[in-house]
Amino acid sequence: MDNHRVEKLNDLKAMGVNPYVNSFKVPFKISVIKEKYINTSNNELLDKKYRVTVAGRAMAIREFGKAAFISIKDRSGVIQIYISKKDLSEEEYTVFKKTDIGDFIGVSGYLFKTKTGELTVFAENYKILTKALRDLPEKWHGLKDVEKRYRQRYVDLIVNDDVRELFITRSKIIQEMRKYFIENEFIEVETPMMQPIAGGATAKPFITHHNALDMTLYLRIAPELYLKRLVIGGLERVFEINKNFRNEGISTKHNPEFTMVEWYMAYADYYDQMAFTENMLSTIAQNVLGTTKITYGDYEIDLTPPWDKLTLEESIEKYTDIKKEDLKDFNKAKSIAENLGIKIEKNWGLGKIVLEIFEKTVEEKLIQPTFIIDYPKEVSPLAKSKFNNPEVTERFELFIAGMEVANGFNELNDPIDQKERFQKQVEAKEAGDEEAHMMDNDYIRALEYGLPPTAGQGLGIDRLVMIFTNKNSIREVILFPHMRPEEV
């Protein structure tokens, strides 16, 4: 707390003024008032005396003698207030003199325009609504320290208008996404955040304990297996927008807690999913940003469908001097990977090695929207194999701006095959792979009741917002990213 503010707080209390009022009704936000009267002449404003009530945070105070101008900001914009000592009661003027930048105030009065033509409220009644006890960052320098911005997002939102607009854009992206699903006959569902088995992805989970049931639970790494249970139950098109948790590293592209949308379509395949995705994302871009051509860093990204499709091997051949044929031979692929500095684990097969080569050499080069398709079975424990090549799955990942944005596939609906793949994952976990999938016997039982031909997909909303808002760090688009604790 800042001492000079605490002194003013105590002065207000001594006057019998409540510095933290219970309620203050505002009929219209500031932008509505400005839109309605911005073109009204000053003569008409003074003649008609259009009275308004406004409230907001004081962002600037300019005093001259017994008068002053205050700029206040609400969620929609800024308007100027004119204060004159002779036009307020003695108590109201004293309250004004106890006002600092950052305080919330409420004002009633009539509109007029200054000599420069700025629409202004001539204060006839003045009230302090909330007394702030800390100074805001200095106006011209603002809040620039990145770590402080993330830790004190509340201050970041107050002083940096572009940050506030970013999170409004994020909200609009999610709204448009939800709208698109509903228009395509999906139903929105909620599945457990705490799960007895960490499933649906290969990742290291957060672990907790349920005292009443005396059982270990895992914060979910993905909702996949629960959503597919719903498809088995007859909910043929489902989606969920929610958090996933993975106990892994933090980087500009990774946060341990992140937002995803995951959805499943019965009687669709992974090509249907790719078409659905490119149409959905281009529609969202058009509706939220007004264009399907967006800037990300030094690149212009064109979201206009259709998007490129390459197999894993085709992409490596296209972006490197490695030949597809060499990726079909274990020893040759292993040698290529080792020459790239990739440390080969003893339990890796050819498919895992090829994926590592792709991630090392190609991923960051996929700037324009690109679907990488047909992943090895070894790294796709939940995806359906191709009928004519059982070691390759009908799976894709979407890359934009050098980042993986989505992962989808034809769902494996053979319970016998699924159990065998789970067993291989269990063996990998026992060999030390902390990210390997657990055995889920209840999910196998569900599959035994029959899952119709289904395609599913998960899409990272945080990374999508990064791309749509031209931000190079995931922390910029998460309101409260994870940080090391600090002493306050």
Side-chain angles (χ1 to χ4, degrees):
M1 292 186 289
D2 296 302
N3 290 334
H4 71 98
R5 289 175 177 265
V6 175
E7 290 175 5
K8 292 179 180 180
L9 173 73
N10 292 332
D11 290 344
L12 290 169
K13 290 180 177 179
M15 292 168 56
V17 172
N18 180 5
Y20 302 103
V21 304
N22 290 41
S23 178
F24 188 83
K25 304 297 182 183
V26 182
F28 302 104
K29 58 187 179 181
I30 287 170
S31 63
V32 171
I33 294 169
K34 293 178 79 169
E35 287 167 10
K36 184 173 182 179
Y37 294 106
I38 196 70
N39 294 318
T40 305
S41 70
N42 194 40
N43 287 336
E44 181 181 340
L45 291 173
L46 292 172
D47 181 53
K48 300 289 187 180
K49 288 266 193 330
Y50 296 116
R51 284 181 164 78
V52 297
T53 298
V54 294
R57 188 187 292 273
M59 299 304 294
I61 301 175
R62 303 178 302 284
E63 294 190 63
F64 42 95
K66 297 178 181 180
F69 285 108
I70 306 178
S71 294
I72 68 168
K73 179 169 72 173
D74 71 0
R75 68 186 187 279
S76 69
V78 177
I79 197 166
Q80 183 171 258
I81 311 296
Y82 175 70
I83 303 292
S84 172
K85 182 177 181 180
K86 66 183 179 64
D87 291 289
L88 294 177
S89 69
E90 183 177 345
E91 180 181 281
E92 287 176 318
Y93 189 74
T94 303
V95 170
F96 156 69
K97 296 295 286 184
K98 303 295 180 184
T99 301
D100 292 301
I101 291 173
D103 294 351
F104 283 91
I105 63 171
V107 173
S108 296
Y110 60 87
L111 294 168
F112 76 102
K113 289 184 176 178
T114 63
K115 291 179 180 179
T116 61
E118 183 171 355
L119 188 66
T120 303
V121 180
F122 193 112
E124 296 177 305
N125 300 104
Y126 185 96
K127 193 170 189 176
I128 195 162
L129 307 180
T130 299
K131 183 67 187 170
L133 299 183
R134 287 184 184 267
D135 290 334
L136 293 176
E138 197 273 324
K139 177 180 178 182
W140 300 113
H141 295 96
L143 185 62
K144 301 298 183 185
D145 183 276
V146 173
E147 183 168 321
K148 195 170 185 179
R149 284 182 49 234
Y150 299 156
R151 290 190 185 280
Q152 300 181 30
R153 186 67 86 183
Y154 37 89
V155 181
D156 193 22
L157 291 165
I158 293 169
V159 301
N160 292 321
D161 289 344
D162 59 329
V163 173
R164 189 170 61 256
E165 286 304 314
L166 184 154
F167 286 104
I168 291 171
T169 298
R170 178 187 171 110
S171 178
K172 290 177 179 177
I173 289 169
I174 295 172
Q175 289 173 37
E176 287 293 327
M177 184 177 289
R178 180 173 277 113
K179 176 184 173 186
Y180 193 88
F181 279 112
I182 292 170
E183 287 176 348
N184 282 275
E185 300 185 32
F186 283 77
I187 64 168
E188 186 169 10
V189 297
E190 297 170 274
T191 60
M193 305 293 278
M194 294 191 298
Q195 303 177 353
I197 295 172
T202 52
K204 186 177 179 180
F206 288 94
I207 304 172
T208 187
H209 187 80
H210 193 300
N211 290 334
L213 297 177
D214 190 22
M215 64 183 292
T216 297
L217 289 171
Y218 304 89
L219 293 184
R220 78 169 183 201
I221 56 176
E224 176 169 341
L225 300 187
Y226 285 92
L227 291 172
K228 286 193 282 194
R229 285 174 170 97
L230 298 180
V231 179
I232 291 168
L235 302 181
E236 295 177 350
R237 291 193 171 198
V238 293
F239 78 100
E240 181 173 10
I241 298 173
N242 222 321
K243 297 286 189 181
N244 289 342
F245 307 86
R246 297 181 184 177
N247 197 355
E248 300 168 350
I250 295 175
S251 73
T252 56
K253 297 180 183 179
H254 297 88
N255 195 64
E257 175 184 349
F258 59 98
T259 305
M260 284 191 70
V261 58
E262 194 154 321
W263 69 97
Y264 292 83
M265 304 166 63
Y267 312 111
D269 64 21
Y270 71 142
Y271 279 93
D272 297 320
Q273 277 281 15
M274 286 185 269
F276 183 93
T277 302
E278 60 191 13
N279 286 326
M280 177 174 70
L281 297 191
S282 60
T283 298
I284 292 171
Q286 186 64 51
N287 291 348
V288 175
L289 307 177
T291 181
T292 56
K293 293 182 179 179
I294 60 177
T295 299
Y296 187 78
D298 296 329
Y299 302 101
E300 181 180 82
I301 295 174
D302 189 352
L303 297 172
T304 307
W307 299 344
D308 284 347
K309 297 178 182 67
L310 296 168
T311 67
L312 206 57
E313 291 81 2
E314 286 171 347
S315 71
I316 295 171
E317 187 171 67
K318 178 177 179 179
Y319 289 98
T320 73
D321 58 2
I322 300 169
K323 300 302 180 184
K324 283 193 299 183
E325 291 72 21
D326 292 340
L327 298 172
K328 301 182 186 301
D329 181 277
F330 179 86
N331 290 326
K332 288 181 179 179
K334 182 172 180 287
S335 177
I336 291 167
E338 289 172 339
N339 289 336
L340 291 169
I342 297 169
K343 183 180 177 182
I344 307 296
E345 302 290 340
K346 63 181 181 180
N347 62 330
W348 287 7
L350 177 60
K352 175 65 172 173
I353 293 172
V354 171
L355 180 61
E356 291 289 326
I357 293 171
F358 165 81
E359 292 177 349
K360 183 83 171 182
T361 61
V362 177
E363 184 171 327
E364 65 181 14
K365 299 174 183 176
L366 300 175
I367 305 303
Q368 297 302 320
T370 304
F371 292 110
I372 302 299
I373 65 173
D374 298 349
Y375 279 68
K377 178 180 177 179
E378 178 187 354
V379 294
S380 311
L382 298 167
K384 197 174 185 70
S385 294
K386 295 180 81 69
F387 183 75
N388 59 353
N389 188 353
E391 292 307 310
V392 176
T393 62
E394 295 175 326
R395 174 188 172 194
F396 68 86
E397 288 186 319
L398 169 63
F399 294 86
I400 307 176
M403 290 186 284
E404 178 203 337
V405 176
N407 178 31
F409 41 82
N410 286 357
E411 302 299 332
L412 178 58
N413 57 354
D414 178 344
I416 297 172
D417 188 356
Q418 182 66 82
K419 188 168 185 176
E420 290 173 353
R421 295 201 205 180
F422 276 167
Q423 188 57 50
K424 288 182 180 178
Q425 289 285 306
V426 170
E427 292 168 2
K429 184 174 282 292
E430 290 172 349
D433 186 350
E434 293 180 315
E435 296 185 354
H437 209 289
M438 299 178 180
M439 177 62 73
D440 190 336
N441 287 312
D442 178 72
Y443 178 67
I444 299 298
R445 177 171 60 184
L447 281 181
E448 289 169 353
Y449 283 94
L451 172 68
T454 299
Q457 184 176 174
L459 185 148
I461 289 176
D462 303 318
R463 290 186 182 180
L464 182 68
V465 175
M466 284 175 62
I467 294 164
F468 276 27
T469 59
N470 194 17
K471 297 299 177 186
N472 62 8
S473 172
I474 198 169
R475 293 184 176 191
E476 290 286 349
V477 301
I478 296 174
L479 280 167
F480 300 103
H482 286 284
M483 311 280 289
R484 293 188 185 276
E486 65 164 344
E487 291 186 13
V488 180

